[in-house]
Amino acid sequence: MNINKIGVVGAGQMGSGIAQVCALAGMDVVLNDISEERVTAALSVIGSGLAKQVERQQIDEAARDAALARIHPGIDYEAFRDCDLVIEAASENEEVKRRIFTKLCASLRPEALLATNTSSISITRLASATDRPERFIGIHFMNPVPRMQLVELIRGIVTENETFEAAKELITRLGKTFTVSEDFPAFIVNRILLPMINEAIYTLYEGVGSVEAIDTAMRLGANHPMGPLQLADFIGLDTVLSVMQVLHEGLADTKYRPCPLLVKYVEAGWLGRKTQRGFYDYRSGTPIPTR
């Protein structure tokens, strides 16, 4: 199947990034969210991201202008009527995603493909909320989408080979590298990465080290580009907690139990960069450790 027009549900950090790379690759994109204001804000973010790529001489101004012209706001799901593929990039909440798929399918052509950008939830289970499980697949982009090279592809138990091949062709067209994961909780990257972040939070919770000490230790001692607590803030502590809960419930192993301090921060609304407070306080413009 040729994929020339893509729909994206969710205009947050992931959805806007997916829209940006698809538009740069020459595809028309319909970007949707729960309000027109969110889509407008996402288009501004995409414009800024493309401007930075021009400054870095990664693309020229003509490519930037052409990409922006290919992205269209979709006020409702009817805007996806002629899309070849729709990618869901809403919050990491299974019930939210299932409600989206139930409503979305009525607006899609029978042959259209459907994908989720979930970072942890069962593809087979999400596919069961649709009218096309054989045309459903997990396409997990890494954050930030324009800069990260890897994409995880995850087949559900019903996913057909044609769907899988179309997804592989899409990722190649985007200039990215795919790796294939089985449909296990959190797949490959987050199955390894998120427990490490959770353990770093336990290290803080137990008083082994401060925020600054833990992040410095992992940056300089393990040669990580950013510390695990800084990375948690970047991902969003609510997302970190959601993935850990999926791992804990799905694998029934206490080693995946979310750290109580992580739970407390999420309950307080300290979700990281997006709320300006997490393991660092970003309100002054200079990140300051909160512990």
Side-chain angles (χ1 to χ4, degrees):
M1 180 179 182
N2 293 323
I3 298 175
N4 295 309
K5 188 169 185 178
I6 288 184
V8 180
V9 180
Q13 190 171 23
M14 295 303 298
S16 60
I18 294 168
Q20 180 175 325
V21 299
C22 289
L24 269 177
M27 287 167 267
D28 288 324
V29 179
V30 178
L31 184 59
N32 165 274
D33 209 309
I34 59 175
S35 71
E36 191 172 352
E37 291 76 16
R38 290 196 182 191
V39 176
T40 300
L43 291 173
S44 177
V45 170
I46 292 169
S48 298
L50 291 170
K52 289 179 181 176
Q53 287 184 279
V54 172
E55 289 175 11
R56 296 171 185 146
Q57 298 184 333
Q58 297 170 333
I59 61 173
D60 58 25
E61 292 185 359
R64 175 199 63 191
D65 295 343
L68 285 172
R70 293 188 190 104
I71 304 174
H72 313 281
I75 306 307
D76 54 40
Y77 291 159
E78 283 300 309
F80 298 132
R81 180 68 63 180
D82 58 348
C83 287
D84 302 311
L85 165 69
V86 177
I87 303 174
E88 170 274 318
S91 60
E92 193 67 0
N93 180 294
E94 183 168 347
E95 289 309 309
V96 169
K97 293 179 185 294
R98 292 177 72 91
R99 285 198 298 269
I100 288 172
F101 294 134
T102 300
K103 295 178 181 178
L104 176 61
C105 285
S107 299
L108 302 182
R109 293 181 292 125
E111 65 271 23
L113 302 182
L114 194 51
T116 176
N117 185 58
T118 181
S119 58
S120 62
I121 301 169
S122 167
I123 304 304
T124 299
R125 212 161 55 233
L126 290 177
S128 70
T130 77
D131 62 356
R132 62 197 70 207
E134 71 286 348
R135 291 180 171 271
F136 189 94
I137 192 168
I139 303 179
H140 178 213
F141 291 85
M142 303 295 125
N143 186 27
V145 179
R147 292 175 55 190
M148 298 297 281
Q149 182 65 24
L150 183 71
V151 178
E152 287 182 316
L153 294 181
I154 311 98
R155 301 174 66 158
I157 196 169
V158 188
T159 305
E160 290 181 343
N161 283 334
E162 291 81 359
T163 304
F164 182 54
E165 292 300 323
K168 290 197 297 184
E169 184 177 339
L170 170 67
I171 300 311
T172 301
R173 184 175 172 186
L174 295 179
K176 296 189 180 293
T177 301
F178 65 83
T179 188
V180 179
S181 170
E182 293 297 323
D183 191 13
F184 278 78
F187 319 130
I188 296 173
V189 173
N190 282 336
R191 171 75 177 267
I192 298 168
L193 177 63
L194 270 295
M196 184 204 73
I197 290 175
N198 192 54
E199 191 63 26
I201 300 170
Y202 266 114
T203 305
L204 177 66
Y205 177 60
E206 294 167 1
V208 179
S210 65
V211 168
E212 190 172 16
I214 293 166
D215 277 354
T216 300
M218 293 306 292
R219 279 198 308 270
L220 303 183
N223 204 27
H224 289 191
M226 64 172 68
L229 302 177
Q230 180 188 6
L231 180 56
D233 276 358
F234 181 77
I235 295 170
L237 302 191
D238 52 339
T239 300
V240 173
L241 177 58
S242 294
V243 175
M244 290 309 303
Q245 287 170 333
V246 167
L247 280 167
H248 191 219
E249 294 166 8
L251 298 174
D253 193 324
T254 55
K255 72 180 181 180
Y256 298 114
R257 183 172 72 96
C259 178
L261 183 61
L262 172 61
V263 176
K264 185 179 292 186
Y265 271 45
V266 172
E267 289 176 343
W270 290 17
L271 307 182
R273 283 184 173 273
K274 59 187 171 185
T275 60
Q276 296 297 300
R277 296 183 86 178
F279 292 110
Y280 292 86
D281 189 328
Y282 302 90
R283 291 174 296 175
S284 68
T286 301
I288 300 171
T290 53
R291 281 178 174 253

